[in-house]
């Protein structure tokens, strides 16, 4: 249970995430990074173990048989569904000791929700004739995300002011603090940036300035930049996915 008062103990938490190709460092897994970011943002003490999927230790096979990372041990209890883990952490690691990470605006959850699916279709496509169609579909979703980041949130608009707010200046999806929505989206955007550039020579257009602003501020946060897999790791994973187009 989360600490609700000084009499409660700090929870014992261990997060297990996918290891990279070297078997030790952070692997390519947006769901693993998502939970890594959540725990870091909560400010709770926790341990992280990378799991080499090529040779999983016997102790882990006994601990979580048939389970792939990410999974979590919270005060000795195994939790395996990453969506349920996130919900559990948000409910259990709650104020006053730990911050809530739920976005204030429900729309922040939906922002960019289709971007990764469009990217996956784009990167897997092997037909040169169909490439433009898939690229445009990805661009459309990125533009939709850029538009959301460009539009001021309600709390950026002063109802008593006569001045018109031209555009948002916020750092993240839901304002100037990272939330669960960012923990979901940022790991996917990182993969898109690296893999699409490497295998399709695609980059997010510079005119999507609100999206680039978002990525800039995100990259300045250790909760994000220290939980990312390396570019080489992402490139290795997508080497077999991004087939050469014909």
């Amino acid at each position: 249970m989360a600490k609700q008062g000084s009499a409660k103990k700090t929870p014992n938490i261990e997060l297990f995430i996918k290891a990279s190709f070297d078997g030790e460092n952070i692997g390519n897994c947006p769901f693993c990074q998502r939970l890594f970011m959540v725990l870091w943002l909560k400010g709770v003490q926790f341990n992280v173990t990378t799991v080499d999927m090529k040779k999983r230790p016997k102790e882990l096979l006994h601990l979580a048989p048939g389970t792939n990372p990410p999974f979590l041990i919270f005060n000795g209890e195994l939790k395996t569904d990453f969506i349920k883990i996130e919900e559990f952490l948000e409910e259990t690691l709650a104020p006053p000791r730990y911050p809530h990470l739920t976005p204030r605006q429900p729309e922040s959850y939906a922002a960019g929700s289709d971007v990764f699916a469009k990217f996956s279709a784009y990167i897997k496509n092997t037909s040169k004739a169909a490439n433009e169609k898939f690229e445009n579909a990805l661009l459309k979703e990125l533009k939709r995300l850029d538009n959301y980041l460009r539009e001021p949130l309600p709390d950026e608009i002063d109802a008593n002011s006569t001045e018109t707010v031209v555009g948002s200046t916020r750092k993240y999806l839901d304002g100037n603090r990272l939330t669960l929505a960012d923990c979901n989206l940022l790991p996917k955007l990182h993969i898109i940036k690296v893999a699409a550039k490497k295998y399709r020579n695609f980059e997010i257009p510079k005119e999507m300035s609100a999206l680039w602003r978002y990525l800039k501020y995100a990259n300045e946060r250790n909760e994000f930049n220290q939980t990312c897999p390396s570019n080489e790791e992402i490139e290795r994973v997508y080497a077999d996915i991004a087939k050469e187009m014909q």
Side-chain angles (χ1 to χ4, degrees):
M1 294 294 291
K3 185 172 182 179
Q4 299 296 323
S6 58
K8 297 296 181 81
K9 293 182 179 180
T10 298
N12 186 2
I13 304 172
E14 186 162 11
L15 175 65
F16 294 82
I17 63 173
K18 181 181 177 181
S20 66
F21 61 90
D22 63 10
E24 296 181 1
N25 289 304
I26 297 171
N28 179 75
C29 174
F31 310 117
C32 297
Q33 186 178 2
R34 175 175 176 169
L35 293 182
F36 201 161
M37 289 181 66
V38 168
L39 286 168
W40 196 325
L41 287 166
K42 284 290 184 181
V44 67
Q45 293 182 355
F46 65 99
N47 294 316
V48 178
T49 298
T50 54
V51 179
D52 187 346
M53 301 302 291
K54 298 187 295 293
K55 47 179 182 180
R56 297 178 64 174
K58 291 182 179 179
E59 308 86 72
L60 291 184
L61 290 174
H62 174 72
L63 179 67
T67 301
N68 290 324
F71 55 90
L72 184 84
I73 297 180
F74 191 98
N75 288 341
E77 182 179 350
L78 175 67
K79 298 185 179 297
T80 58
D81 183 295
F82 79 91
I83 294 291
K84 292 181 179 178
I85 291 173
E86 183 177 89
E87 293 173 349
F88 170 80
L89 293 174
E90 180 67 353
E91 179 182 347
T92 307
L93 303 178
R97 184 171 183 184
Y98 306 105
H100 270 315
L101 299 178
T102 301
R104 292 168 299 171
Q105 308 299 325
E107 295 81 6
S108 295
Y109 268 126
S113 59
D114 290 331
V115 168
F116 200 70
K118 300 303 182 185
F119 157 73
S120 296
Y122 173 56
I123 203 75
K124 292 175 182 177
N125 171 54
T126 58
S127 169
K128 286 184 178 180
N131 183 64
E132 184 176 357
K133 178 187 72 173
F134 285 107
E135 184 172 303
N136 285 338
L138 173 58
L139 283 167
K140 181 179 179 181
E141 291 306 316
L142 289 170
K143 181 58 180 173
R144 185 175 299 176
L145 173 59
D146 181 71
N147 288 341
Y148 181 74
L149 290 162
R150 193 180 302 276
E151 183 178 348
L153 295 176
D155 59 6
E156 292 182 278
I157 302 172
D158 186 352
N160 298 317
S161 175
T162 58
E163 296 182 6
T164 301
V165 179
V166 177
S168 176
T169 58
R170 69 187 187 275
K171 296 179 179 180
Y172 312 115
L173 285 173
D174 200 59
N176 289 327
R177 67 182 186 97
L178 289 167
T179 66
L180 297 177
D182 302 294
C183 296
N184 174 37
L185 183 60
L186 284 170
K188 297 173 182 177
L189 289 176
H190 181 62
I191 292 172
I192 292 171
K193 279 184 61 184
V194 175
K197 173 62 177 175
K198 173 70 174 180
Y199 296 108
R200 294 294 182 261
N201 196 31
F202 173 90
E203 294 185 274
I204 298 171
K206 293 299 180 184
E207 55 265 29
M208 295 186 186
S209 56
L211 178 49
W212 278 107
R213 181 188 70 229
Y214 175 48
L215 293 171
K216 170 185 175 295
Y217 281 119
N219 281 317
E220 292 173 355
R221 295 290 297 265
N222 287 340
E223 297 94 338
F224 174 60
N225 64 45
Q226 295 298 309
T227 58
C228 286
S230 68
N231 289 5
E232 183 182 3
E233 165 70 6
I234 295 171
E235 290 170 357
R236 278 175 175 259
V237 168
Y238 276 88
D240 293 329
I241 298 172
K243 303 293 186 182
E244 185 175 349
M245 289 189 293
Q246 300 177 353

